[in-house]
């Protein structure tokens, strides 16, 4: 049996997943915990992750329009490449933090499917793909960062105006909105998901405020 705990931080685009993962890692290490932090797609270490980044960065692939099952296989394969690393650290008692995971396929690829029954069937297919076929470790908890789509789009526009490059998904407003709708739905029905409202009054909370809430939730998990 695994000795560690596996926590995923996910959310809609612009929600600050990478920032919150880094802040949480720092706080957990300060408290004396052994922590491994991973991020997907892993375009630094994984062969498939590098290819996914190429797809996201080059318009010639029309990546946002790729069939959800085809895209999901690549994202799942990227996680499979990291699965031995994650499993070894869990067995060694580490807290493993992941910036996006299977939940990203659920949110973004599931958001491409309008029909409810078809989307439900896709979720079952995705479950089999990632956890049965690729046999990747299953998270203990998924923290879902919920940011209103109007704020999310403004944050992405700000990133672009300051010199950042939007990927194939971030350029597609319909894709962003559909992903947000699907993420909210999953947060309601998935038993191991915890939702964090990042802008409950219509104004984005500070990074510290959001991380304080995440940290309190994680401390409960560790108990």
């Amino acid at each position: 049996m695994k000795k560690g705990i596996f926590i995923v931080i996910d959310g809609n685009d612009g929600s600050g997943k990478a920032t919150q993962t880094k802040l949480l890692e720092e706080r957990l290490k300060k408290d004396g915990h052994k922590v491994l932090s991973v991020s997907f797609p892993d375009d630094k270490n994984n062969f498939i992750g590098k290819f996914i980044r190429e797809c996201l960065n080059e318009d010639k692939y029309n990546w946002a329009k790729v069939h959800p099952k085809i895209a999901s296989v690549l994202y799942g394969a990227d996680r499979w490449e990291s699965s031995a690393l994650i499993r070894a650290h869990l067995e060694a008692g580490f807290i493993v933090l992941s910036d996006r995971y299977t939940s990203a396929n659920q949110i973004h690829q599931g958001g491409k499917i309008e029909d409810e029954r078809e989307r439900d069937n896709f979720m079952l297919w995705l479950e089999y793909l990632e956890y049965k076929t690729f046999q990747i470790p299953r998270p203990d908890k998924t923290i879902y960062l919920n940011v209103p789509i109007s704020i999310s789009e403004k944050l992405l526009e700000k990133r672009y105006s300051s010199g950042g490059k939007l990927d194939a998904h971030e350029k597609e407003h319909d894709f962003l909105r559909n992903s947000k709708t699907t993420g909210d739905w999953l947060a309601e029905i998935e038993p191991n998901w915890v939702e964090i409202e990042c802008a409950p009054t219509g104004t984005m909370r500070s990074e510290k405020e959001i991380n304080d809430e995440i940290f309190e939730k994680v401390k409960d998990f560790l108990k």
Side-chain angles (χ1 to χ4, degrees), residues 73-89:
V73 170
L74 286 175
Y75 285 110
D78 180 36
R79 284 183 274 279
W80 169 80
E81 283 194 74
S82 298
S83 61
L85 175 71
I86 293 171
R87 193 173 288 109
H89 280 77

Side-chain angles (χ1 to χ4, degrees), residues 199-218:
T201 63
T203 301
M204 196 73 173
R205 297 161 66 192
S206 71
E207 291 175 353
K208 183 181 183 305
E209 285 179 319
I210 295 169
N211 197 255
D212 284 345
E213 184 176 352
I214 292 172
F215 187 57
E216 288 303 314
K217 299 290 185 186
V218 169

Side-chain angles (χ1 to χ4, degrees), residues 141 143 194-196 211-222:
K141 292 291 179 181
I143 296 171
V194 175
E195 185 173 8
I196 304 292
N211 197 255
D212 284 345
E213 184 176 352
I214 292 172
F215 187 57
E216 288 303 314
K217 299 290 185 186
V218 169
K219 285 199 297 185
D220 288 340
F221 304 159
L222 298 180

